[in-house]
Amino acid sequence: MEEHLSSTPAVSVQELVHHYGERAALNGVSFDVRPAEMFGLLGPNGSGKTTLFRILSTLMVPTGGKAVVLGHDAAKEPSALRRHIGVVFQAQSVDVKLTAEENLWHQGHLYGLRGAALKARIHEMLGHIGLADRAKDKVETFSGGMQRRLDVAKGLMHRPSVLLLDEPTTGLDPAARRDLWQYLNSLRQEEAVTVIVTTHLMEEAERCDRLAIMNQGELVALGTPLELKHEIGGDVITLETTNPETLAERIRSRFVVEAQPLGNQVRLEREQGHRFITDLVEAFPGEIQAISVSKPTLEDVFIHRTGHRFWTEESETKG
Amino acid sequence: MATPAAALSSPSPDSALLAAFTLWWREVVRFYRQRSRVVGVIASPLLFWVVIGSGFGSSFRSGDAPGQQHYLDYFYPGALIMIVLFTSIFTMMSVIEDRKEGFLLSVLVAPVPRSAIVLGKVLGGTTLSTIQGAIFLAFAPLLGIHFSAASLLLSLLTIFLVSFALTALGFAIAWPMDSSQAFHAIINLFLIPLWLLSGSLFPLNGASGWVRMLMQINPLTYGVEALRNLLYPASPQTFSLASSLATLLLFTLFMFGLAFVMANRRGSKPAA
């Protein structure tokens, strides 16, 4: 049975399309998630990842295509599926007027757990998330990071096979973020679950086994963070200049390399970047105000695939 | 994997009741953890009664027999219904709050039938407003009303039915809303008329044609009427107790059905 399970994907998204009225939020997205994988959905706001999340968590029926989770079609068999998935929403779902223990007690009841088995599970989960000594305290006395951990524990109470998390670190400071990811990793090992997490943060995406990068309702890249970064040949060189359009054009014709104007910068990808910058600076004296060479990041992958920055001005003002 | 999944996927009535119980429990615990709400529920009937009682004094006095003559006596069942009405509807503001936080979403993705969600939440609100109604009922002896055990139980049943029906109505109104301001606007639009035309303020028999018709189709009229029958058995009755209670029961079932239909909508629009 184990072998059979590992060969079939835990989650299979097939040609998923979704429209809000006229606006298309998902434009035919397909990918598979393997069992016990930490799978990231990376994309800026409005890329469609939250829509995808809502469809996977059975809250919304897609306009077209289908999402199959553990062999159940999320649109057609929501009640069968709900038993096997744990969901952690971006908005906090713990009740701050209840204690940590009461929150998990309530959650367990919703999934049919009760009695001694429920008590044991509450005790176990509170231990996992490091809140055993705060079991009887009201959640309103907890820090944001602690509340978030309790949210995750809620999602795992019924031992789901798949855990879905929507931007789980929203509103947490960097230390609490790191903490939460450590807990996610240890929980994944202890509970042996497939984890799908949406994020707009590159450093979080780096921690996933595999990533789907989304942009404007479409899948732009799929692979491990390393694979994705390797597809960029060598290093990334960024030049600051007053006239990026013309400089990019002149670099293209002179060095036969793809140069991309982005804002007040020109960006290009090249092996042996540190050697190449001397050539560049000598070729265009006085036109380059600053120059940098770096190893490719996931943001570079995004720019490489979409031709624009991850955070465009528009998406930043939208928040 | 197929067998246990299939066994689990049809939720037993037992687990639906457990879910309803836990939602009810949360509603009640949340209530008594917020001291100002507790004070409000206990103090408001008290305050209401003291102010109204002293305000009316001996105005509108018209006779000596209990039940009909003193306007304050007449007004008592209506005042009780009003208190139940407001508490019932406003407890369901929690639906909007739960939706704003992620709490409601986490309930919606649980393998819980929507009927259990409606039942749990509505019974939670019903419990609170029934308790408030019962507190108000405890003042009845001050008016010289003494009832038998049977009529006390029937009065509590009436309060329970009215509470349940109105809480379910509050649930159905609150469910699709995303702001408590919108909720207030709707409530004011039709709750006040619902109460005014329930026989709480003036009797149905004396009303003019169209008002009288509205009063007859207002389900709340039957709650007020049932209470009046139980509190003042000697006074003339517009409807028999049995027909009032039957109407009330139908109203309650209808409201629960309405709340259920609202909660059962699952579509292509965002649920959050």
Side-chain angles (χ1 to χ4, degrees), chain A residues 1 18 57-58 61 74 82-83 92 95 97 102 106 109-111 114, chain B residues 1 8 14 22 26 30 33 102-103 106 109 111-112 266-269:
Chain A
M1 198 168 76
H18 195 77
S57 60
T58 73
V61 178
R82 282 172 187 158
R83 213 155 272 284
Q92 173 181 306
D95 187 329
K97 297 286 174 197
E102 285 168 341
H106 182 276
H109 280 166
L110 293 180
Y111 286 83
R114 68 182 84 196
Chain B
M1 197 184 112
L8 283 170
D14 198 31
T22 206
R26 167 181 178 257
R30 267 182 79 84
R33 295 253 164 100
F103 183 85
S106 75
V109 295
V112 175
R266 172 169 175 266
S268 54
K269 278 202 286 182

PDB file of all heavy atoms in Angstrom, chain A residues 1 18 57-58 61 74 82-83 92 95 97 102 106 109-111 114, chain B residues 1 8 14 22 26 30 33 102-103 106 109 111-112 266-269:
ATOM      1  N   MET A   1       0.846  -1.208   0.000  1.00  0.00           N
ATOM      2  CA  MET A   1       0.000   0.000   0.000  1.00  0.00           C
ATOM      3  C   MET A   1       0.875   1.248   0.000  1.00  0.00           C
ATOM      4  O   MET A   1       0.640   2.193  -0.718  1.00  0.00           O
ATOM      5  CB  MET A   1      -0.925  -0.011   1.209  1.00  0.00           C
ATOM      6  CG  MET A   1      -2.081   0.937   1.048  1.00  0.00           C
ATOM      7  SD  MET A   1      -3.358   0.687   2.290  1.00  0.00           S
ATOM      8  CE  MET A   1      -2.634   1.420   3.714  1.00  0.00           C
ATOM      9  N   HIS A  18      -9.976  29.501 -13.173  1.00  0.00           N
ATOM     10  CA  HIS A  18     -10.993  30.139 -12.348  1.00  0.00           C
ATOM     11  C   HIS A  18     -11.174  31.608 -12.719  1.00  0.00           C
ATOM     12  O   HIS A  18     -10.210  32.324 -12.925  1.00  0.00           O
ATOM     13  CB  HIS A  18     -10.675  30.022 -10.866  1.00  0.00           C
ATOM     14  CG  HIS A  18     -11.860  30.337 -10.012  1.00  0.00           C
ATOM     15  ND1 HIS A  18     -12.886  29.458  -9.834  1.00  0.00           N
ATOM     16  CD2 HIS A  18     -12.211  31.458  -9.349  1.00  0.00           C
ATOM     17  CE1 HIS A  18     -13.806  30.006  -9.072  1.00  0.00           C
ATOM     18  NE2 HIS A  18     -13.432  31.225  -8.767  1.00  0.00           N
ATOM     19  N   SER A  57      -8.649  23.664  -0.798  1.00  0.00           N
ATOM     20  CA  SER A  57      -9.203  23.452   0.538  1.00  0.00           C
ATOM     21  C   SER A  57     -10.725  23.260   0.520  1.00  0.00           C
ATOM     22  O   SER A  57     -11.359  23.323   1.553  1.00  0.00           O
ATOM     23  CB  SER A  57      -8.812  24.608   1.454  1.00  0.00           C
ATOM     24  OG  SER A  57      -9.311  25.809   0.948  1.00  0.00           O
ATOM     25  N   THR A  58     -11.309  23.042  -0.636  1.00  0.00           N
ATOM     26  CA  THR A  58     -12.742  22.742  -0.842  1.00  0.00           C
ATOM     27  C   THR A  58     -13.676  23.915  -0.580  1.00  0.00           C
ATOM     28  O   THR A  58     -14.883  23.742  -0.501  1.00  0.00           O
ATOM     29  CB  THR A  58     -13.272  21.558   0.032  1.00  0.00           C
ATOM     30  OG1 THR A  58     -13.386  22.001   1.390  1.00  0.00           O
ATOM     31  CG2 THR A  58     -12.364  20.347  -0.037  1.00  0.00           C
ATOM     32  N   VAL A  61     -15.467  26.212  -5.819  1.00  0.00           N
ATOM     33  CA  VAL A  61     -15.519  25.296  -6.958  1.00  0.00           C
ATOM     34  C   VAL A  61     -14.890  26.010  -8.156  1.00  0.00           C
ATOM     35  O   VAL A  61     -15.282  27.127  -8.465  1.00  0.00           O
ATOM     36  CB  VAL A  61     -16.989  24.927  -7.257  1.00  0.00           C
ATOM     37  CG1 VAL A  61     -17.071  24.020  -8.466  1.00  0.00           C
ATOM     38  CG2 VAL A  61     -17.617  24.256  -6.047  1.00  0.00           C
ATOM     39  N   ALA A  74     -11.703  17.746  -5.478  1.00  0.00           N
ATOM     40  CA  ALA A  74     -12.051  18.741  -4.449  1.00  0.00           C
ATOM     41  C   ALA A  74     -13.416  19.369  -4.699  1.00  0.00           C
ATOM     42  O   ALA A  74     -14.108  19.767  -3.765  1.00  0.00           O
ATOM     43  CB  ALA A  74     -10.979  19.823  -4.381  1.00  0.00           C
ATOM     44  N   ARG A  82     -12.402  16.538   3.069  1.00  0.00           N
ATOM     45  CA  ARG A  82     -12.162  17.367   4.258  1.00  0.00           C
ATOM     46  C   ARG A  82     -11.564  16.587   5.419  1.00  0.00           C
ATOM     47  O   ARG A  82     -10.811  17.119   6.213  1.00  0.00           O
ATOM     48  CB  ARG A  82     -13.465  18.033   4.694  1.00  0.00           C
ATOM     49  CG  ARG A  82     -13.797  19.224   3.817  1.00  0.00           C
ATOM     50  CD  ARG A  82     -15.162  19.792   4.072  1.00  0.00           C
ATOM     51  NE  ARG A  82     -15.441  20.820   3.073  1.00  0.00           N
ATOM     52  CZ  ARG A  82     -16.653  21.218   2.744  1.00  0.00           C
ATOM     53  NH1 ARG A  82     -17.714  20.700   3.329  1.00  0.00           N
ATOM     54  NH2 ARG A  82     -16.802  22.149   1.826  1.00  0.00           N
ATOM     55  N   ARG A  83     -11.922  15.327   5.525  1.00  0.00           N
ATOM     56  CA  ARG A  83     -11.411  14.463   6.564  1.00  0.00           C
ATOM     57  C   ARG A  83      -9.897  14.271   6.485  1.00  0.00           C
ATOM     58  O   ARG A  83      -9.243  13.992   7.479  1.00  0.00           O
ATOM     59  CB  ARG A  83     -12.108  13.109   6.392  1.00  0.00           C
ATOM     60  CG  ARG A  83     -12.366  12.350   7.614  1.00  0.00           C
ATOM     61  CD  ARG A  83     -13.541  11.429   7.385  1.00  0.00           C
ATOM     62  NE  ARG A  83     -14.773  12.117   7.695  1.00  0.00           N
ATOM     63  CZ  ARG A  83     -15.178  12.338   8.942  1.00  0.00           C
ATOM     64  NH1 ARG A  83     -14.470  11.933   9.947  1.00  0.00           N
ATOM     65  NH2 ARG A  83     -16.303  12.981   9.157  1.00  0.00           N
ATOM     66  N   GLN A  92      -6.039  34.456  11.176  1.00  0.00           N
ATOM     67  CA  GLN A  92      -5.924  33.614  12.360  1.00  0.00           C
ATOM     68  C   GLN A  92      -7.239  32.908  12.668  1.00  0.00           C
ATOM     69  O   GLN A  92      -8.303  33.520  12.647  1.00  0.00           O
ATOM     70  CB  GLN A  92      -5.531  34.512  13.506  1.00  0.00           C
ATOM     71  CG  GLN A  92      -5.532  33.826  14.837  1.00  0.00           C
ATOM     72  CD  GLN A  92      -5.150  34.796  15.912  1.00  0.00           C
ATOM     73  OE1 GLN A  92      -4.118  35.442  15.825  1.00  0.00           O
ATOM     74  NE2 GLN A  92      -5.991  34.935  16.896  1.00  0.00           N
ATOM     75  N   ASP A  95      -9.436  30.807  18.550  1.00  0.00           N
ATOM     76  CA  ASP A  95     -10.331  31.682  19.291  1.00  0.00           C
ATOM     77  C   ASP A  95      -9.563  32.200  20.502  1.00  0.00           C
ATOM     78  O   ASP A  95      -9.190  31.425  21.379  1.00  0.00           O
ATOM     79  CB  ASP A  95     -11.560  30.887  19.734  1.00  0.00           C
ATOM     80  CG  ASP A  95     -12.614  31.774  20.365  1.00  0.00           C
ATOM     81  OD1 ASP A  95     -12.229  32.790  20.986  1.00  0.00           O
ATOM     82  OD2 ASP A  95     -13.805  31.477  20.232  1.00  0.00           O
ATOM     83  N   LYS A  97     -10.439  33.875  23.014  1.00  0.00           N
ATOM     84  CA  LYS A  97     -11.114  33.833  24.313  1.00  0.00           C
ATOM     85  C   LYS A  97     -11.025  32.450  24.950  1.00  0.00           C
ATOM     86  O   LYS A  97     -11.382  32.258  26.105  1.00  0.00           O
ATOM     87  CB  LYS A  97     -12.595  34.223  24.178  1.00  0.00           C
ATOM     88  CG  LYS A  97     -12.814  35.639  23.709  1.00  0.00           C
ATOM     89  CD  LYS A  97     -12.508  36.621  24.809  1.00  0.00           C
ATOM     90  CE  LYS A  97     -12.580  38.043  24.274  1.00  0.00           C
ATOM     91  NZ  LYS A  97     -11.907  38.980  25.165  1.00  0.00           N
ATOM     92  N   GLU A 102      -8.437  24.338  25.047  1.00  0.00           N
ATOM     93  CA  GLU A 102      -9.836  24.390  24.605  1.00  0.00           C
ATOM     94  C   GLU A 102      -9.942  24.538  23.094  1.00  0.00           C
ATOM     95  O   GLU A 102     -10.831  23.962  22.468  1.00  0.00           O
ATOM     96  CB  GLU A 102     -10.556  25.555  25.292  1.00  0.00           C
ATOM     97  CG  GLU A 102     -10.881  25.280  26.746  1.00  0.00           C
ATOM     98  CD  GLU A 102     -11.324  26.527  27.495  1.00  0.00           C
ATOM     99  OE1 GLU A 102     -11.055  27.662  27.023  1.00  0.00           O
ATOM    100  OE2 GLU A 102     -11.916  26.388  28.562  1.00  0.00           O
ATOM    101  N   HIS A 106     -11.933  21.860  20.908  1.00  0.00           N
ATOM    102  CA  HIS A 106     -12.997  22.249  19.989  1.00  0.00           C
ATOM    103  C   HIS A 106     -12.706  21.719  18.580  1.00  0.00           C
ATOM    104  O   HIS A 106     -13.563  21.121  17.934  1.00  0.00           O
ATOM    105  CB  HIS A 106     -13.094  23.776  19.996  1.00  0.00           C
ATOM    106  CG  HIS A 106     -14.176  24.324  19.127  1.00  0.00           C
ATOM    107  ND1 HIS A 106     -14.006  24.529  17.783  1.00  0.00           N
ATOM    108  CD2 HIS A 106     -15.433  24.706  19.406  1.00  0.00           C
ATOM    109  CE1 HIS A 106     -15.118  25.016  17.282  1.00  0.00           C
ATOM    110  NE2 HIS A 106     -15.994  25.131  18.239  1.00  0.00           N
ATOM    111  N   HIS A 109     -13.192  17.942  18.251  1.00  0.00           N
ATOM    112  CA  HIS A 109     -14.610  17.582  18.161  1.00  0.00           C
ATOM    113  C   HIS A 109     -15.146  17.736  16.744  1.00  0.00           C
ATOM    114  O   HIS A 109     -15.943  16.926  16.296  1.00  0.00           O
ATOM    115  CB  HIS A 109     -15.444  18.462  19.103  1.00  0.00           C
ATOM    116  CG  HIS A 109     -15.388  17.992  20.522  1.00  0.00           C
ATOM    117  ND1 HIS A 109     -15.820  18.769  21.562  1.00  0.00           N
ATOM    118  CD2 HIS A 109     -14.943  16.841  21.060  1.00  0.00           C
ATOM    119  CE1 HIS A 109     -15.650  18.102  22.691  1.00  0.00           C
ATOM    120  NE2 HIS A 109     -15.115  16.939  22.416  1.00  0.00           N
ATOM    121  N   LEU A 110     -14.689  18.788  16.053  1.00  0.00           N
ATOM    122  CA  LEU A 110     -15.180  19.004  14.688  1.00  0.00           C
ATOM    123  C   LEU A 110     -14.782  17.842  13.783  1.00  0.00           C
ATOM    124  O   LEU A 110     -15.419  17.577  12.772  1.00  0.00           O
ATOM    125  CB  LEU A 110     -14.628  20.308  14.108  1.00  0.00           C
ATOM    126  CG  LEU A 110     -15.113  21.608  14.754  1.00  0.00           C
ATOM    127  CD1 LEU A 110     -14.459  22.795  14.063  1.00  0.00           C
ATOM    128  CD2 LEU A 110     -16.626  21.740  14.667  1.00  0.00           C
ATOM    129  N   TYR A 111     -13.693  17.156  14.156  1.00  0.00           N
ATOM    130  CA  TYR A 111     -13.230  16.034  13.340  1.00  0.00           C
ATOM    131  C   TYR A 111     -13.588  14.692  13.967  1.00  0.00           C
ATOM    132  O   TYR A 111     -13.008  13.669  13.627  1.00  0.00           O
ATOM    133  CB  TYR A 111     -11.724  16.153  13.098  1.00  0.00           C
ATOM    134  CG  TYR A 111     -11.406  17.249  12.101  1.00  0.00           C
ATOM    135  CD1 TYR A 111     -11.317  18.577  12.491  1.00  0.00           C
ATOM    136  CD2 TYR A 111     -11.241  16.954  10.750  1.00  0.00           C
ATOM    137  CE1 TYR A 111     -11.054  19.582  11.575  1.00  0.00           C
ATOM    138  CE2 TYR A 111     -10.973  17.947   9.825  1.00  0.00           C
ATOM    139  CZ  TYR A 111     -10.884  19.262  10.245  1.00  0.00           C
ATOM    140  OH  TYR A 111     -10.627  20.245   9.329  1.00  0.00           O
ATOM    141  N   ARG A 114     -12.674  12.381  20.314  1.00  0.00           N
ATOM    142  CA  ARG A 114     -13.257  12.632  21.635  1.00  0.00           C
ATOM    143  C   ARG A 114     -12.569  11.807  22.712  1.00  0.00           C
ATOM    144  O   ARG A 114     -11.745  10.952  22.410  1.00  0.00           O
ATOM    145  CB  ARG A 114     -14.748  12.338  21.619  1.00  0.00           C
ATOM    146  CG  ARG A 114     -15.033  10.845  21.450  1.00  0.00           C
ATOM    147  CD  ARG A 114     -16.506  10.575  21.397  1.00  0.00           C
ATOM    148  NE  ARG A 114     -17.019  10.765  20.043  1.00  0.00           N
ATOM    149  CZ  ARG A 114     -18.297  10.887  19.764  1.00  0.00           C
ATOM    150  NH1 ARG A 114     -19.179  10.913  20.732  1.00  0.00           N
ATOM    151  NH2 ARG A 114     -18.697  11.008  18.527  1.00  0.00           N
TER     152      ARG A 114
ATOM    153  N   MET B   1      -6.355   1.705   1.466  1.00  0.00           N
ATOM    154  CA  MET B   1      -6.795   3.032   1.896  1.00  0.00           C
ATOM    155  C   MET B   1      -8.285   3.224   1.646  1.00  0.00           C
ATOM    156  O   MET B   1      -8.964   3.944   2.357  1.00  0.00           O
ATOM    157  CB  MET B   1      -5.984   4.088   1.140  1.00  0.00           C
ATOM    158  CG  MET B   1      -6.047   5.457   1.783  1.00  0.00           C
ATOM    159  SD  MET B   1      -5.172   6.664   0.776  1.00  0.00           S
ATOM    160  CE  MET B   1      -6.511   7.677   0.190  1.00  0.00           C
ATOM    161  N   LEU B   8     -15.096   6.470   6.746  1.00  0.00           N
ATOM    162  CA  LEU B   8     -15.024   7.770   7.407  1.00  0.00           C
ATOM    163  C   LEU B   8     -15.810   8.842   6.666  1.00  0.00           C
ATOM    164  O   LEU B   8     -16.265   9.798   7.267  1.00  0.00           O
ATOM    165  CB  LEU B   8     -13.564   8.216   7.501  1.00  0.00           C
ATOM    166  CG  LEU B   8     -12.716   7.556   8.582  1.00  0.00           C
ATOM    167  CD1 LEU B   8     -11.258   7.917   8.380  1.00  0.00           C
ATOM    168  CD2 LEU B   8     -13.175   8.025   9.961  1.00  0.00           C
ATOM    169  N   ASP B  14     -23.890  10.868  14.995  1.00  0.00           N
ATOM    170  CA  ASP B  14     -23.189  11.042  16.250  1.00  0.00           C
ATOM    171  C   ASP B  14     -22.120  12.129  16.178  1.00  0.00           C
ATOM    172  O   ASP B  14     -22.055  13.020  17.018  1.00  0.00           O
ATOM    173  CB  ASP B  14     -22.548   9.692  16.564  1.00  0.00           C
ATOM    174  CG  ASP B  14     -22.155   9.588  18.011  1.00  0.00           C
ATOM    175  OD1 ASP B  14     -22.860  10.207  18.810  1.00  0.00           O
ATOM    176  OD2 ASP B  14     -21.168   8.893  18.293  1.00  0.00           O
ATOM    177  N   THR B  22     -20.006  21.118  20.255  1.00  0.00           N
ATOM    178  CA  THR B  22     -18.787  21.872  20.522  1.00  0.00           C
ATOM    179  C   THR B  22     -18.945  23.331  20.071  1.00  0.00           C
ATOM    180  O   THR B  22     -18.430  24.250  20.695  1.00  0.00           O
ATOM    181  CB  THR B  22     -17.556  21.162  19.906  1.00  0.00           C
ATOM    182  OG1 THR B  22     -16.403  21.539  20.640  1.00  0.00           O
ATOM    183  CG2 THR B  22     -17.352  21.473  18.438  1.00  0.00           C
ATOM    184  N   ARG B  26     -18.732  26.506  22.608  1.00  0.00           N
ATOM    185  CA  ARG B  26     -17.859  27.649  22.389  1.00  0.00           C
ATOM    186  C   ARG B  26     -18.630  28.959  22.522  1.00  0.00           C
ATOM    187  O   ARG B  26     -18.170  29.916  23.137  1.00  0.00           O
ATOM    188  CB  ARG B  26     -17.231  27.577  20.998  1.00  0.00           C
ATOM    189  CG  ARG B  26     -16.557  28.881  20.595  1.00  0.00           C
ATOM    190  CD  ARG B  26     -15.975  28.814  19.218  1.00  0.00           C
ATOM    191  NE  ARG B  26     -15.373  30.095  18.859  1.00  0.00           N
ATOM    192  CZ  ARG B  26     -15.925  30.983  18.052  1.00  0.00           C
ATOM    193  NH1 ARG B  26     -17.103  30.736  17.518  1.00  0.00           N
ATOM    194  NH2 ARG B  26     -15.315  32.119  17.773  1.00  0.00           N
ATOM    195  N   ARG B  30     -17.557  31.596  25.300  1.00  0.00           N
ATOM    196  CA  ARG B  30     -17.146  32.931  24.866  1.00  0.00           C
ATOM    197  C   ARG B  30     -17.974  34.004  25.555  1.00  0.00           C
ATOM    198  O   ARG B  30     -17.483  35.057  25.906  1.00  0.00           O
ATOM    199  CB  ARG B  30     -17.357  33.083  23.362  1.00  0.00           C
ATOM    200  CG  ARG B  30     -16.190  32.758  22.521  1.00  0.00           C
ATOM    201  CD  ARG B  30     -16.536  33.005  21.075  1.00  0.00           C
ATOM    202  NE  ARG B  30     -16.468  34.433  20.760  1.00  0.00           N
ATOM    203  CZ  ARG B  30     -15.349  35.045  20.439  1.00  0.00           C
ATOM    204  NH1 ARG B  30     -14.220  34.404  20.392  1.00  0.00           N
ATOM    205  NH2 ARG B  30     -15.345  36.331  20.170  1.00  0.00           N
ATOM    206  N   ARG B  33     -16.994  34.419  29.244  1.00  0.00           N
ATOM    207  CA  ARG B  33     -15.632  34.953  29.406  1.00  0.00           C
ATOM    208  C   ARG B  33     -15.587  36.466  29.160  1.00  0.00           C
ATOM    209  O   ARG B  33     -14.598  37.106  29.429  1.00  0.00           O
ATOM    210  CB  ARG B  33     -14.673  34.282  28.416  1.00  0.00           C
ATOM    211  CG  ARG B  33     -14.475  32.813  28.650  1.00  0.00           C
ATOM    212  CD  ARG B  33     -13.124  32.482  29.221  1.00  0.00           C
ATOM    213  NE  ARG B  33     -13.119  31.143  29.774  1.00  0.00           N
ATOM    214  CZ  ARG B  33     -12.618  30.073  29.145  1.00  0.00           C
ATOM    215  NH1 ARG B  33     -12.055  30.213  27.966  1.00  0.00           N
ATOM    216  NH2 ARG B  33     -12.654  28.888  29.714  1.00  0.00           N
ATOM    217  N   GLY B 102     -10.257  33.982  10.963  1.00  0.00           N
ATOM    218  CA  GLY B 102     -10.292  32.769  10.143  1.00  0.00           C
ATOM    219  C   GLY B 102     -11.123  31.662  10.761  1.00  0.00           C
ATOM    220  O   GLY B 102     -11.233  30.585  10.200  1.00  0.00           O
ATOM    221  N   PHE B 103     -11.750  31.959  11.909  1.00  0.00           N
ATOM    222  CA  PHE B 103     -12.387  30.881  12.654  1.00  0.00           C
ATOM    223  C   PHE B 103     -13.458  30.149  11.837  1.00  0.00           C
ATOM    224  O   PHE B 103     -13.487  28.927  11.767  1.00  0.00           O
ATOM    225  CB  PHE B 103     -13.000  31.405  13.959  1.00  0.00           C
ATOM    226  CG  PHE B 103     -13.602  30.311  14.789  1.00  0.00           C
ATOM    227  CD1 PHE B 103     -12.819  29.584  15.660  1.00  0.00           C
ATOM    228  CD2 PHE B 103     -14.933  29.971  14.651  1.00  0.00           C
ATOM    229  CE1 PHE B 103     -13.351  28.536  16.385  1.00  0.00           C
ATOM    230  CE2 PHE B 103     -15.473  28.919  15.372  1.00  0.00           C
ATOM    231  CZ  PHE B 103     -14.683  28.211  16.241  1.00  0.00           C
ATOM    232  N   SER B 106     -12.142  27.795   9.271  1.00  0.00           N
ATOM    233  CA  SER B 106     -11.617  26.525   9.761  1.00  0.00           C
ATOM    234  C   SER B 106     -12.757  25.561  10.097  1.00  0.00           C
ATOM    235  O   SER B 106     -12.579  24.351  10.030  1.00  0.00           O
ATOM    236  CB  SER B 106     -10.688  26.745  10.962  1.00  0.00           C
ATOM    237  OG  SER B 106     -11.427  27.050  12.115  1.00  0.00           O
ATOM    238  N   VAL B 109     -14.037  24.082   6.556  1.00  0.00           N
ATOM    239  CA  VAL B 109     -13.257  23.038   5.886  1.00  0.00           C
ATOM    240  C   VAL B 109     -13.220  21.746   6.704  1.00  0.00           C
ATOM    241  O   VAL B 109     -12.608  20.777   6.294  1.00  0.00           O
ATOM    242  CB  VAL B 109     -11.813  23.483   5.557  1.00  0.00           C
ATOM    243  CG1 VAL B 109     -11.813  24.618   4.553  1.00  0.00           C
ATOM    244  CG2 VAL B 109     -11.049  23.866   6.805  1.00  0.00           C
ATOM    245  N   PRO B 111     -14.955  18.342   8.295  1.00  0.00           N
ATOM    246  CA  PRO B 111     -15.972  17.435   7.740  1.00  0.00           C
ATOM    247  C   PRO B 111     -17.251  17.459   8.572  1.00  0.00           C
ATOM    248  O   PRO B 111     -17.659  16.454   9.134  1.00  0.00           O
ATOM    249  CB  PRO B 111     -15.294  16.062   7.813  1.00  0.00           C
ATOM    250  CG  PRO B 111     -14.331  16.178   8.937  1.00  0.00           C
ATOM    251  CD  PRO B 111     -13.885  17.604   8.988  1.00  0.00           C
ATOM    252  N   VAL B 112     -17.856  18.629   8.656  1.00  0.00           N
ATOM    253  CA  VAL B 112     -19.028  18.819   9.494  1.00  0.00           C
ATOM    254  C   VAL B 112     -20.183  19.229   8.585  1.00  0.00           C
ATOM    255  O   VAL B 112     -20.031  20.150   7.801  1.00  0.00           O
ATOM    256  CB  VAL B 112     -18.767  19.949  10.522  1.00  0.00           C
ATOM    257  CG1 VAL B 112     -20.008  20.256  11.320  1.00  0.00           C
ATOM    258  CG2 VAL B 112     -17.623  19.579  11.436  1.00  0.00           C
ATOM    259  N   ARG B 266     -22.500  26.872  -1.629  1.00  0.00           N
ATOM    260  CA  ARG B 266     -21.062  26.755  -1.834  1.00  0.00           C
ATOM    261  C   ARG B 266     -20.844  27.037  -3.299  1.00  0.00           C
ATOM    262  O   ARG B 266     -21.368  26.362  -4.155  1.00  0.00           O
ATOM    263  CB  ARG B 266     -20.609  25.346  -1.492  1.00  0.00           C
ATOM    264  CG  ARG B 266     -19.171  25.039  -1.840  1.00  0.00           C
ATOM    265  CD  ARG B 266     -18.797  23.701  -1.205  1.00  0.00           C
ATOM    266  NE  ARG B 266     -17.467  23.283  -1.594  1.00  0.00           N
ATOM    267  CZ  ARG B 266     -17.233  22.477  -2.614  1.00  0.00           C
ATOM    268  NH1 ARG B 266     -18.206  22.021  -3.348  1.00  0.00           N
ATOM    269  NH2 ARG B 266     -15.990  22.124  -2.894  1.00  0.00           N
ATOM    270  N   GLY B 267     -20.121  28.074  -3.581  1.00  0.00           N
ATOM    271  CA  GLY B 267     -20.097  28.460  -4.974  1.00  0.00           C
ATOM    272  C   GLY B 267     -18.726  28.789  -5.487  1.00  0.00           C
ATOM    273  O   GLY B 267     -17.716  28.326  -4.962  1.00  0.00           O
ATOM    274  N   SER B 268     -18.675  29.589  -6.525  1.00  0.00           N
ATOM    275  CA  SER B 268     -17.394  29.930  -7.119  1.00  0.00           C
ATOM    276  C   SER B 268     -16.907  31.282  -6.620  1.00  0.00           C
ATOM    277  O   SER B 268     -15.906  31.796  -7.073  1.00  0.00           O
ATOM    278  CB  SER B 268     -17.519  29.930  -8.638  1.00  0.00           C
ATOM    279  OG  SER B 268     -18.579  30.770  -9.001  1.00  0.00           O
ATOM    280  N   LYS B 269     -17.660  31.843  -5.663  1.00  0.00           N
ATOM    281  CA  LYS B 269     -17.200  33.101  -5.089  1.00  0.00           C
ATOM    282  C   LYS B 269     -16.370  32.824  -3.843  1.00  0.00           C
ATOM    283  O   LYS B 269     -16.548  31.804  -3.206  1.00  0.00           O
ATOM    284  CB  LYS B 269     -18.399  33.980  -4.725  1.00  0.00           C
ATOM    285  CG  LYS B 269     -18.942  34.738  -5.921  1.00  0.00           C
ATOM    286  CD  LYS B 269     -19.727  35.959  -5.503  1.00  0.00           C
ATOM    287  CE  LYS B 269     -21.070  35.581  -4.932  1.00  0.00           C
ATOM    288  NZ  LYS B 269     -21.878  36.723  -4.559  1.00  0.00           N
TER     289      LYS B 269
END
